[in-house]
Amino acid sequence: LFAISRFGLASLTITAAFAVMFGMFFGLAQYLQFVMGYSPLNTSLRVIPFALGMVAVAPRGPRLVERFGAGRVMGSGLLLASLGCVIMSLLSADSSYLHVLAGILMLSSGMTMTFPTATTAIVGSLPLDKAGVASAVNDTTREVGSAVGIALLGSLLSAGYRRDLGDTLDSLPLPAEALEAARDSVGAALHVAQSAPGSAGDTIAAAARSAFASGYSLSMIAGAVIMATVGVILVLRFPDSG
Protein backbone atom coordinates (compact mmCIF):
# COMPACT_ATOMS: atom_id res chain seq x y z
CA LEU A 1 0.00 0.00 0.00
CA PHE A 2 2.90 2.31 0.80
CA ALA A 3 4.44 1.83 -2.63
CA ILE A 4 1.13 2.23 -4.43
CA SER A 5 0.39 5.43 -2.56
CA ARG A 6 3.80 6.95 -3.36
CA PHE A 7 3.57 5.75 -6.95
CA GLY A 8 0.08 7.15 -7.49
CA LEU A 9 0.71 10.51 -5.86
CA ALA A 10 4.01 10.99 -7.69
CA SER A 11 2.30 10.13 -11.00
CA LEU A 12 -0.47 12.63 -10.22
CA THR A 13 2.20 15.23 -9.50
CA ILE A 14 3.92 14.75 -12.85
CA THR A 15 0.60 14.81 -14.69
CA ALA A 16 -0.59 18.01 -13.04
CA ALA A 17 2.74 19.81 -13.38
CA PHE A 18 3.17 18.98 -17.06
CA ALA A 19 -0.46 19.86 -17.77
CA VAL A 20 -0.04 23.34 -16.35
CA MET A 21 3.44 23.87 -17.82
CA PHE A 22 2.40 23.02 -21.37
CA GLY A 23 -0.85 24.96 -21.03
CA MET A 24 1.17 27.93 -19.81
CA PHE A 25 3.60 27.78 -22.73
CA PHE A 26 0.76 27.29 -25.23
CA GLY A 27 -0.77 30.62 -24.23
CA LEU A 28 2.46 32.43 -23.43
CA ALA A 29 3.93 31.98 -26.91
CA GLN A 30 0.84 33.63 -28.39
CA TYR A 31 0.76 36.34 -25.73
CA LEU A 32 4.36 37.34 -26.41
CA GLN A 33 3.82 37.45 -30.17
CA PHE A 34 0.31 38.81 -30.61
CA VAL A 35 -0.16 40.93 -27.50
CA MET A 36 3.36 42.16 -26.81
CA GLY A 37 4.38 42.20 -30.47
CA TYR A 38 7.56 40.11 -30.39
CA SER A 39 8.71 38.11 -33.40
CA PRO A 40 8.83 34.29 -33.16
CA LEU A 41 12.60 34.43 -32.63
CA ASN A 42 12.39 37.08 -29.92
CA THR A 43 9.57 35.14 -28.29
CA SER A 44 11.73 32.03 -28.06
CA LEU A 45 14.59 34.04 -26.59
CA ARG A 46 12.31 35.47 -23.92
CA VAL A 47 11.29 32.05 -22.59
CA ILE A 48 14.92 30.94 -22.15
CA PRO A 49 14.90 32.16 -18.50
CA PHE A 50 12.57 29.24 -17.74
CA ALA A 51 15.37 26.82 -18.62
CA LEU A 52 17.99 28.94 -16.86
CA GLY A 53 15.90 28.91 -13.71
CA MET A 54 15.78 25.12 -13.84
CA VAL A 55 19.55 24.91 -14.20
CA ALA A 56 20.03 27.19 -11.19
CA VAL A 57 17.56 25.45 -8.88
CA ALA A 58 17.95 21.78 -9.84
CA PRO A 59 21.22 21.07 -7.95
CA ARG A 60 19.56 22.08 -4.68
CA GLY A 61 16.76 19.54 -4.98
CA PRO A 62 18.46 16.48 -3.46
CA ARG A 63 19.56 18.41 -0.37
CA LEU A 64 16.05 19.73 0.15
CA VAL A 65 14.59 16.23 -0.15
CA GLU A 66 17.13 14.87 2.33
CA ARG A 67 16.26 17.55 4.83
CA PHE A 68 12.49 17.95 4.42
CA GLY A 69 11.28 14.83 2.62
CA ALA A 70 10.00 14.26 -0.93
CA GLY A 71 6.38 15.12 -0.17
CA ARG A 72 7.14 18.52 1.27
CA VAL A 73 9.58 19.37 -1.52
CA MET A 74 7.16 18.38 -4.28
CA GLY A 75 4.24 20.07 -2.55
CA SER A 76 6.19 23.25 -1.91
CA GLY A 77 7.38 23.22 -5.52
CA LEU A 78 3.83 23.05 -6.82
CA LEU A 79 2.70 25.77 -4.44
CA LEU A 80 5.56 27.98 -5.64
CA ALA A 81 4.64 27.24 -9.26
CA SER A 82 1.02 28.03 -8.39
CA LEU A 83 2.15 31.46 -7.24
CA GLY A 84 3.88 31.83 -10.60
CA CYS A 85 0.56 31.10 -12.30
CA VAL A 86 -1.10 33.76 -10.18
CA ILE A 87 1.53 36.26 -11.34
CA MET A 88 0.89 35.26 -14.95
CA SER A 89 -2.86 35.60 -14.43
CA LEU A 90 -2.34 39.29 -13.69
CA LEU A 91 -0.94 39.99 -17.15
CA SER A 92 -2.83 42.53 -19.23
CA ALA A 93 -2.48 43.92 -22.72
CA ASP A 94 -0.17 46.62 -21.33
CA SER A 95 2.06 44.49 -19.10
CA SER A 96 5.84 44.63 -19.42
CA TYR A 97 8.20 41.73 -20.07
CA LEU A 98 9.49 42.04 -16.49
CA HIS A 99 6.05 40.91 -15.32
CA VAL A 100 6.28 37.89 -17.62
CA LEU A 101 9.82 37.19 -16.41
CA ALA A 102 8.74 37.17 -12.77
CA GLY A 103 6.06 34.59 -13.52
CA ILE A 104 8.39 32.45 -15.63
CA LEU A 105 11.07 32.31 -12.94
CA MET A 106 8.57 31.48 -10.21
CA LEU A 107 7.07 28.68 -12.29
CA SER A 108 10.49 27.37 -13.29
CA SER A 109 11.78 27.29 -9.72
CA GLY A 110 8.72 25.48 -8.41
CA MET A 111 8.60 22.90 -11.17
CA THR A 112 12.32 22.20 -10.87
CA MET A 113 11.74 21.24 -7.24
CA THR A 114 8.93 18.95 -8.35
CA PHE A 115 9.96 17.09 -11.50
CA PRO A 116 13.12 15.22 -10.40
CA THR A 117 11.67 14.39 -6.99
CA ALA A 118 8.45 13.01 -8.45
CA THR A 119 10.34 10.97 -11.05
CA THR A 120 12.58 9.50 -8.34
CA ALA A 121 9.52 8.65 -6.27
CA ILE A 122 7.87 6.87 -9.20
CA VAL A 123 10.93 4.79 -10.07
CA GLY A 124 11.83 4.12 -6.44
CA SER A 125 8.34 2.97 -5.49
CA LEU A 126 8.58 -0.26 -7.50
CA PRO A 127 11.03 -3.17 -7.28
CA LEU A 128 14.11 -3.14 -9.52
CA ASP A 129 12.60 -5.75 -11.84
CA LYS A 130 9.72 -3.33 -12.46
CA ALA A 131 11.98 -0.36 -13.25
CA GLY A 132 10.95 -0.47 -16.90
CA VAL A 133 7.31 -0.22 -15.92
CA ALA A 134 8.02 2.72 -13.64
CA SER A 135 9.96 4.50 -16.38
CA ALA A 136 7.15 3.91 -18.89
CA VAL A 137 4.54 5.25 -16.46
CA ASN A 138 6.70 8.30 -15.81
CA ASP A 139 6.91 9.03 -19.54
CA THR A 140 3.20 8.37 -20.04
CA THR A 141 2.16 10.75 -17.28
CA ARG A 142 4.23 13.47 -18.91
CA GLU A 143 2.65 12.91 -22.32
CA VAL A 144 -0.88 12.66 -20.94
CA GLY A 145 -0.40 15.70 -18.75
CA SER A 146 0.96 17.75 -21.65
CA ALA A 147 -1.97 16.86 -23.92
CA VAL A 148 -4.59 17.41 -21.22
CA GLY A 149 -3.02 20.71 -20.20
CA ILE A 150 -3.05 22.14 -23.72
CA ALA A 151 -6.62 20.94 -24.25
CA LEU A 152 -7.97 22.15 -20.92
CA LEU A 153 -6.12 25.42 -20.43
CA GLY A 154 -6.25 26.15 -24.16
CA SER A 155 -10.03 25.73 -24.12
CA LEU A 156 -10.32 28.09 -21.15
CA LEU A 157 -8.10 30.61 -22.92
CA SER A 158 -10.26 30.44 -26.04
CA ALA A 159 -13.48 30.71 -24.04
CA GLY A 160 -12.18 33.70 -22.12
CA TYR A 161 -11.02 35.36 -25.33
CA ARG A 162 -14.38 35.00 -27.05
CA ARG A 163 -16.27 36.04 -23.91
CA ASP A 164 -14.21 39.18 -23.35
CA LEU A 165 -14.35 40.15 -27.00
CA GLY A 166 -18.11 40.15 -26.53
CA ASP A 167 -20.05 42.50 -28.75
CA THR A 168 -17.11 44.79 -29.47
CA LEU A 169 -16.90 43.67 -33.08
CA ASP A 170 -20.60 43.63 -33.89
CA SER A 171 -20.87 47.38 -34.41
CA LEU A 172 -17.96 47.51 -36.86
CA PRO A 173 -18.55 47.78 -40.63
CA LEU A 174 -16.95 44.45 -41.52
CA PRO A 175 -18.17 41.31 -43.32
CA ALA A 176 -19.58 38.57 -41.11
CA GLU A 177 -16.80 36.22 -42.20
CA ALA A 178 -14.13 38.64 -41.03
CA LEU A 179 -15.84 39.15 -37.69
CA GLU A 180 -16.15 35.42 -37.11
CA ALA A 181 -12.48 34.91 -37.99
CA ALA A 182 -11.53 37.62 -35.49
CA ARG A 183 -13.48 35.79 -32.79
CA ASP A 184 -11.68 32.51 -33.53
CA SER A 185 -8.17 33.63 -32.63
CA VAL A 186 -6.13 36.69 -31.77
CA GLY A 187 -3.84 36.07 -34.74
CA ALA A 188 -6.77 36.14 -37.13
CA ALA A 189 -8.15 39.23 -35.41
CA LEU A 190 -4.91 41.12 -35.92
CA HIS A 191 -4.88 40.05 -39.56
CA VAL A 192 -8.43 41.34 -39.99
CA ALA A 193 -7.43 44.57 -38.24
CA GLN A 194 -4.74 45.25 -40.85
CA SER A 195 -7.31 45.35 -43.66
CA ALA A 196 -10.13 47.02 -41.74
CA PRO A 197 -11.15 50.53 -42.90
CA GLY A 198 -10.50 53.68 -40.90
CA SER A 199 -10.19 53.41 -37.15
CA ALA A 200 -11.89 50.01 -37.09
CA GLY A 201 -8.51 48.31 -37.39
CA ASP A 202 -7.19 49.92 -34.23
CA THR A 203 -10.41 49.03 -32.40
CA ILE A 204 -10.20 45.39 -33.43
CA ALA A 205 -6.52 45.08 -32.55
CA ALA A 206 -6.92 46.66 -29.13
CA ALA A 207 -9.99 44.60 -28.30
CA ALA A 208 -8.35 41.36 -29.45
CA ARG A 209 -5.19 41.94 -27.41
CA SER A 210 -7.19 42.79 -24.30
CA ALA A 211 -9.47 39.79 -24.78
CA PHE A 212 -6.56 37.41 -25.25
CA ALA A 213 -4.91 38.67 -22.06
CA SER A 214 -8.22 38.08 -20.27
CA GLY A 215 -8.48 34.54 -21.63
CA TYR A 216 -4.89 33.78 -20.67
CA SER A 217 -5.59 35.07 -17.18
CA LEU A 218 -8.51 32.65 -16.88
CA SER A 219 -6.35 29.72 -17.95
CA MET A 220 -3.61 30.63 -15.49
CA ILE A 221 -6.08 30.91 -12.62
CA ALA A 222 -7.18 27.36 -13.43
CA GLY A 223 -3.53 26.29 -13.53
CA ALA A 224 -2.89 27.87 -10.15
CA VAL A 225 -5.86 26.03 -8.62
CA ILE A 226 -4.74 22.69 -10.06
CA MET A 227 -1.19 22.96 -8.76
CA ALA A 228 -2.16 24.40 -5.39
CA THR A 229 -4.64 21.56 -4.84
CA VAL A 230 -2.13 18.84 -5.69
CA GLY A 231 0.57 20.66 -3.71
CA VAL A 232 -1.51 20.68 -0.54
CA ILE A 233 -2.32 16.99 -0.98
CA LEU A 234 1.36 16.17 -1.29
CA VAL A 235 2.37 18.14 1.78
CA LEU A 236 -0.34 16.51 3.88
CA ARG A 237 -0.58 12.99 2.50
CA PHE A 238 2.60 11.93 0.68
CA PRO A 239 4.17 9.00 2.60
CA ASP A 240 7.86 9.88 2.92
CA SER A 241 10.21 7.10 3.84
CA GLY A 242 12.60 9.44 5.56
Side-chain angles (χ1 to χ4, degrees), residues 8 36 40 139:
M36 301 192 78
D139 290 342

Side-chain angles (χ1 to χ4, degrees), residues 174 190-197 201:
L174 294 175
L190 295 180
H191 180 73
V192 170
Q194 292 177 351
S195 58

Side-chain angles (χ1 to χ4, degrees), residues 211-226:
F212 187 86
S214 177
Y216 190 52
S217 174
L218 177 63
S219 71
M220 287 295 93
I221 290 173
V225 171
I226 291 171

Side-chain angles (χ1 to χ4, degrees), residues 127-146:
L128 287 177
D129 60 347
K130 299 293 185 181
V133 174
S135 177
V137 170
N138 179 61
D139 290 342
T140 301
T141 56
R142 293 167 185 256
E143 296 294 335
V144 171
S146 302

Side-chain angles (χ1 to χ4, degrees), residues 28 31-32 36 38 46 49 84 87-88 90-92 94-107:
L28 180 62
Y31 177 86
L32 290 173
M36 301 192 78
Y38 293 118
R46 280 166 174 78
I87 293 174
M88 299 293 266
L90 299 176
L91 288 170
S92 69
D94 301 319
S95 296
S96 69
Y97 174 68
L98 289 178
H99 188 152
V100 176
L101 181 61
I104 285 177
L105 292 177
M106 193 74 71
L107 277 156

